[in-house]
């Protein structure tokens, strides 16, 4: 392995089936993930989790907290602070209902998987320590979908702080994948008084790591990652603080990145527009190069 790019062994067969017209793409589910940052004396670090090797999708790969949209985030009115739903809809390229659901997914999944909550009792406040049995009971109820995020906020008297998020990029799982997600990536700073923990049943390890160190691990083949993860790490490496990264978010291009597969000179070529480092050449009967 030249680097740590996660590459499922079934991809060549599925890519060929898609090219031949025998594979029908599944509709991607909406999802959100958050690159949680905190400053250190030398450089900002990002919170990452390692997916359990037993996971069917990207087992052993490093990623950020995130997951799919809960349909109830569309239907229920969520206590909200920060830019309006209309503002987020325009930015994300969706309707207002979907914008609420996507932002809710980002905040909810960060709490479910990292124990960090971007919400407060007032529009200009954030909760402090979110550990303790009562908080854990609510977090577990959210994970089990016994409690909606709107109900959780109402119960706690909290408002979602959408202003603490910066929309960073959007990636759509390739059409040949059996599990597909339309994922919005966000950036956020760790709120003062809160701390991360491995609250996810899907992860066996969590780390705070400098983007430069994570990139080095990937380039050496020591850290396994999917293309969106290493691509965003390379982008984050340009910023000297969490505040700088957040300030850069409004100018980010949110055009979806979608891998393409094509037949060229007897090879299947897999590429991600704008990200040449991930291009793979797949011989008709062999492994990717």
């Amino acid at each position: 392995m030249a680097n740590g790019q996660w590459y499922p062994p079934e991809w060549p067969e599925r890519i060929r089936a898609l090219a031949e017209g025998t594979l029908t793409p599944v509709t991607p589910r909406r999802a959100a993930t958050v690159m949680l940052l905190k400053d250190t004396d030398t450089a900002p670090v990002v919170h990452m989790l390692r997916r359990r090797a037993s996971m069917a999708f990207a087992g052993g790969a490093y990623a950020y907290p995130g997951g799919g949209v809960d349909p109830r985030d569309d239907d229920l009115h969520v206590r909200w602070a920060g830019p309006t739903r209309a503002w987020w809809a325009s930015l994300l390229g969706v309707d207002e209902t979907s914008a609420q659901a996507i932002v809710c997914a980002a905040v909810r999944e960060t709490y479910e998987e990292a124990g960090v909550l971007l919400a407060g009792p007032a529009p200009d406040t954030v909760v402090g320590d979110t550990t303790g049995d009562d908080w854990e009971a609510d977090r577990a109820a959210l994970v089990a979908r016994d409690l909606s995020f709107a109900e959780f906020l109402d119960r706690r008297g909290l408002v979602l702080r959408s202003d603490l998020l910066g929309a960073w990029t959007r990636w759509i799982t390739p059409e040949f994948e059996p599990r597909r997600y339309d994922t919005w990536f966000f950036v956020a700073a760790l709120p003062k008084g809160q701390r991360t923990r491995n609250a996810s049943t899907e992860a066996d390890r969590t780390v705070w790591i400098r983007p430069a160190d994570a990139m080095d691990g990937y380039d050496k083949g020591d850290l396994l990652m999917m293309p969106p993860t290493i691509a965003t790490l390379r982008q984050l490496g340009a910023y000297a603080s969490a505040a700088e990264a957040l300030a850069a978010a409004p100018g980010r291009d949110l055009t979806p990145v979608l891998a393409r597969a094509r037949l060229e000179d007897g090879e299947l070529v897999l590429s991600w527009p704008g990200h040449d480092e991930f291009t793979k050449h797949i011989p008709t009967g062999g492994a990717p190069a």
Side-chain angles (χ1 to χ4, degrees), residues 15-16 18-20 175-176 258-273 276 279-284:
I15 291 170
R16 280 190 282 271
L18 180 67
E20 294 166 358
E175 293 180 329
F176 48 81
L258 174 63
R260 299 294 184 187
R262 66 185 187 277
L263 186 62
E264 185 176 288
D265 298 328
E267 289 183 324
L268 285 168
V269 180
L270 175 61
S271 62
W272 280 259
D276 292 342
T279 299
K280 295 291 183 183
H281 295 263
I282 305 168
T284 54

Side-chain angles (χ1 to χ4, degrees), residues 181-253:
Y181 298 93
D182 185 353
T183 305
W184 282 261
F185 286 69
F186 295 85
V187 65
L190 179 69
K192 185 177 180 180
Q194 295 193 38
R195 59 184 186 270
T196 57
R197 59 191 178 90
N198 184 7
S200 173
T201 58
E202 298 180 354
D204 61 10
R205 183 185 184 218
T206 61
V207 295
W208 282 101
I209 187 170
R210 293 193 313 153
D213 293 334
M215 287 185 278
D216 185 58
Y218 170 87
D219 290 336
K220 291 178 178 177
D222 296 333
L223 300 183
L224 195 65
M225 298 180 202
M226 293 175 282
T229 308
I230 184 60
T232 48
L233 281 170
R234 297 204 193 284
Q235 294 157 1
L236 288 176
Y239 300 97
S241 68
E244 278 192 18
L246 279 164
R252 296 283 306 169
D253 182 4

